[in-house]
């Protein structure tokens, strides 16, 4: 998902920094992404370490497997904390389908980072990577919630690849955008039949 979004945002005019645990892997990913869209890029894609990308980027995209996100945040924390970064959380947790209430990934990640200067948003939660295409011909709506600064930045990211952002509210709405939440509720209320 992260690689596909990097391609779309670069095509839409954003400079994209790809961070990886391994610098060579980050550079290789950026090179591969640039080659795949070389005749369509209006901006650049660069690669390096997670720490480098977190330090240099204005918008941090958490596009890691949910189970690895806290570890990633612990590595990049010192490059984010106090820097007024925008953080877009696109991670999708796995829920206990017997529970009515679930916690949003964003809530867990915000609590872990504990940075009052960071602006948080969620988006791209319910779109499959193979449906992410550039342009209005493939346009879909992306639900976004978060604080105002982050919502507006993410809405611009969505628009840059020809899709429509739909603002769903503040950070407190993040749980409502988590995939599977409604399924968990239905199973609790009506069973599996």
């Amino acid at each position: 998902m992260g690689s596909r979004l990097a391609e779309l945002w670069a095509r839409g005019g954003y400079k994209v920094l790809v961070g990886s645990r391994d610098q060579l892997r980050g550079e290789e990913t950026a090179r591969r992404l640039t080659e795949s869209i070389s005749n369509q890029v209006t901006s650049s894609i660069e690669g390096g370490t997670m720490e480098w990308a977190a330090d240099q980027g204005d918008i941090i995209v958490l596009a890691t497997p949910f189970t690895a996100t806290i570890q990633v945040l612990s590595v990049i924390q010192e490059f984010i904390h106090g820097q007024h970064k925008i953080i877009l959380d696109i991670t999708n947790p796995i829920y206990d389908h017997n529970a009515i209430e679930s916690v949003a990934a964003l809530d867990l990640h915000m609590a872990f980072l504990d940075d009052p200067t960071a602006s948080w948003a969620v988006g791209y939660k319910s779109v499959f990577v193979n449906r992410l295409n550039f342009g209005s011909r493939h346009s879909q709506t992306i639900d976004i919630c978060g604080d105002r600064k982050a919502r507006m930045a993410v809405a611009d990211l969505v628009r840059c690849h020809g899709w429509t952002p739909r603002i769903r509210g503040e950070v407190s709405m993040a749980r409502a955008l988590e995939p599977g939440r409604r399924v968990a509720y239905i199973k609790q209320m009506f069973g599996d039949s």
Side-chain angles (χ1 to χ4, degrees):
M1 188 75 161
S3 293
R4 185 66 183 136
L5 288 171
E7 290 176 358
L8 292 174
W9 295 333
R11 284 181 66 187
Y14 281 83
K15 179 179 180 181
V16 177
L17 307 177
V18 176
S20 176
R21 290 184 185 110
D22 175 70
Q23 180 169 342
L24 293 177
R25 183 174 175 200
E27 291 170 354
E28 173 59 25
T29 300
R31 184 195 59 71
R32 181 179 46 78
L33 292 172
T34 299
E35 286 178 3
S36 72
I37 58 172
S38 61
N39 61 340
Q40 306 156 352
V41 173
T42 60
S43 191
S44 66
I45 302 175
E46 298 176 27
T49 64
M50 291 186 300
E51 297 90 338
W52 164 81
D55 184 49
Q56 297 298 308
D58 297 321
I59 302 173
I60 310 300
V61 180
L62 299 177
T64 57
F66 174 73
T67 55
T69 306
I70 294 294
Q71 179 185 11
V72 168
L73 283 172
S74 69
V75 170
I76 64 174
Q77 183 172 2
E78 69 181 279
F79 302 97
I80 296 174
H81 207 275
Q83 300 301 310
H84 301 273
K85 302 283 186 173
I86 295 170
I87 304 172
L88 169 58
D89 191 334
I90 68 169
T91 62
N92 286 321
I94 299 170
Y95 288 108
D96 173 358
H97 291 290
N98 294 316
I100 289 178
E101 293 299 324
S102 299
V103 176
L106 176 126
D107 294 335
L108 298 172
H109 301 148
M110 280 179 63
F112 178 82
L113 191 60
D114 191 28
D115 180 2
T117 72
S119 297
W120 290 81
V122 298
Y124 296 93
K125 286 285 198 167
S126 58
V127 62
F128 293 106
V129 69
N130 62 343
R131 302 287 299 158
L132 279 171
N133 294 300
F134 192 87
S136 59
R137 188 178 105 224
H138 304 285
S139 183
Q140 291 188 17
T141 300
I142 298 294
D143 290 328
I144 300 166
C145 72
D147 60 54
R148 180 170 170 66
K149 178 181 174 183
R151 284 193 321 256
M152 296 304 104
V154 174
D156 288 343
L157 290 171
V158 171
R159 283 187 206 98
C160 89
H161 59 83
W163 286 31
T164 305
R166 179 171 46 195
I167 306 300
R168 298 295 298 264
E170 295 291 325
V171 169
S172 61
M173 292 299 298
R175 186 172 45 196
L177 298 185
E178 293 288 1
R181 183 172 188 280
R182 291 184 187 104
V183 172
Y185 176 77
I186 291 168
K187 283 186 177 181
Q188 179 76 14
M189 297 299 292
F190 304 106
D192 291 326
S193 57

